Amino acid sequence: MDSVSTLRFTLSPNPSPVSPERRAEVLANPGFGKIFTDHMAIIRYTEGQGWHDPVIRAYAPISLDPAAAVLHYAQEIFEGMKAYRTAQGGISLFRPDANARRFRKSAERMAMAQLPEDLFVDAVCQLVTVDREWVPARSDESLYIRPFMIASEAFLGVKPASEYLFMVIASPVGAYFGEQAVSVWVSEYCRAAPGGTGEAKCGGNYAASLMAQKEAKGHGCAQVLFLDAVERRWIEEMGGMNVFFVFDDGSVATPPLTGTILRGITRDSILRIARDGGLTVREEPYAIDQMYADAASGRLREVFACGTAAVISPIGRFRGKQGEVVIGDGISIGPVTEKLRTDLIAIQRGNAPDPYGWVHKVL
């Protein structure tokens, strides 16, 4: 496989970039994932040739043959990560090597070409460098980065494609949920089954969650919680995030990785920070019935969702066929959740020492 040592990006600057005035207007209220930066990264893959023609060029629509395999057989994977403007005025990424490893694992599961990890990181860094003026400065904002790969070969036979398109786009973003605790709908739909693609970060997993998410919205909830596909008993993960539980003894628990749950990088970071902070942390199965009982008895004190987009977001109540249960006061962030969130963000933004080597400086 080609690697970053032999592939060099060509820069083709956007001839009509967004004006500084318009960019300032966008950054004043970026929202989430609706406005994109001036450029994008592209690398092509052809079987027998490998990865080739890496370029940073103007953000623009791409052309696909109507028979492109991604449109028919859903060979597609993606990642989510962020660039932060640090307290020192620089720009950094958070654990991009972990994103690169997970991207390769997703590609392997989806029978797609595997992008070298150093080339993945280089593509992200190149784009962030070129579009550095798009990185917001406020503490609750960042540049959300979306690396993705699609099967671009044109054919209508069911087989792994032999041509792929890897791209990176970026969007300035604000807070995903806001400060208050969110309500979550316990769905009867399934997100993933044993032996399926639950551990891969592929679009199909998210497509499978959309009906449940629509149902959640209809019940006044911002997110959805999925149970296991076999017994419909064990808590797995949310529509786009992992989930943690905090108990009255101060311990923290999260569902174990069994192949049906995404290996969240934020999840992994929280586990490390919590353990090093002296908390008792368990990765163990947790039944929905037990969660309702623990919430009612007061044993369950806090629940939070975590992911790149949401970082750490408190959950105030669950609703479902079993009725509604309130966590804490249903509104505020709990002390353990707040401490973990503060400690994680401090490392991400360079406001605290990084004992783990997680921060990757770009500029």
Side-chain angles (χ1 to χ4, degrees), residues 27-274:
L27 293 179
N29 185 22
F32 201 97
K34 295 183 177 180
I35 304 295
F36 297 91
T37 65
D38 292 309
H39 298 85
M40 58 187 184
I42 300 178
I43 315 174
R44 298 182 181 275
Y45 176 90
T46 305
E47 194 172 274
Q49 184 179 356
W51 294 98
H52 58 92
D53 298 329
V55 62
I56 305 290
R57 67 171 178 82
Y59 182 95
I62 59 173
S63 176
L64 279 178
D65 191 289
V70 65
L71 302 176
H72 303 272
Y73 309 118
Q75 266 195 299
E76 182 272 352
I77 58 173
F78 67 95
E79 276 296 322
M81 51 200 301
K82 288 179 176 178
Y84 303 91
R85 197 168 291 279
T86 67
Q88 296 75 32
I91 296 174
S92 64
L93 304 171
F94 183 70
R95 303 188 66 181
D97 54 330
N99 289 99
R101 285 194 299 273
R102 188 170 66 181
F103 195 76
R104 287 197 69 169
K105 290 294 291 182
S106 293
E108 180 181 20
R109 177 61 182 86
M110 301 301 288
M112 302 174 76
Q114 294 186 36
L115 185 75
E117 293 171 20
D118 53 1
L119 188 52
F120 175 102
V121 175
D122 188 44
V124 172
C125 290
Q126 294 279 352
L127 180 62
V128 171
T129 299
V130 171
D131 282 341
R132 55 188 174 274
E133 298 301 327
W134 284 92
V135 182
R138 289 194 290 266
S139 61
D140 61 342
E141 296 173 349
S142 56
L143 185 68
Y144 185 82
I145 302 164
R146 172 54 58 87
F148 65 99
M149 179 164 59
I150 61 173
S152 55
E153 182 186 5
F155 69 97
L156 294 180
V158 182
K159 69 174 185 67
S162 60
E163 295 175 10
Y164 296 93
L165 195 62
F166 170 76
M167 302 179 64
V168 187
I169 57 177
S171 171
V173 298
Y176 193 78
F177 283 130
E179 295 300 320
Q180 288 194 336
V182 299
S183 297
V184 173
W185 178 253
V186 181
S187 180
E188 294 187 51
Y189 288 100
C190 294
R191 175 189 170 272
T197 60
E199 198 172 68
K201 199 167 177 66
C202 61
N205 292 342
Y206 294 80
S209 75
L210 296 180
M211 179 58 78
Q213 187 65 48
K214 182 180 178 181
E215 182 182 53
K217 186 176 180 181
H219 288 276
C221 296
Q223 257 293 327
V224 60
L225 179 73
F226 290 103
L227 307 180
D228 75 290
V230 178
E231 297 183 61
R232 304 293 182 90
R233 177 188 177 196
W234 304 103
I235 293 170
E236 293 214 322
E237 67 174 289
M238 298 172 64
M241 290 155 276
N242 296 116
V243 61
F244 278 78
F245 305 92
V246 183
F247 298 93
D248 56 2
D249 61 358
S251 65
V252 178
T254 191
L257 300 175
T258 59
T260 58
I261 297 176
L262 185 70
R263 292 179 175 270
I265 294 165
T266 306
R267 174 191 183 277
D268 182 70
S269 304
I270 292 167
L271 289 172
R272 185 73 180 272
I273 291 171

Side-chain angles (χ1 to χ4, degrees), residues 68 79 318-319 341 353:
E79 276 296 322
F318 289 91
R319 294 176 180 146
R341 186 177 190 276

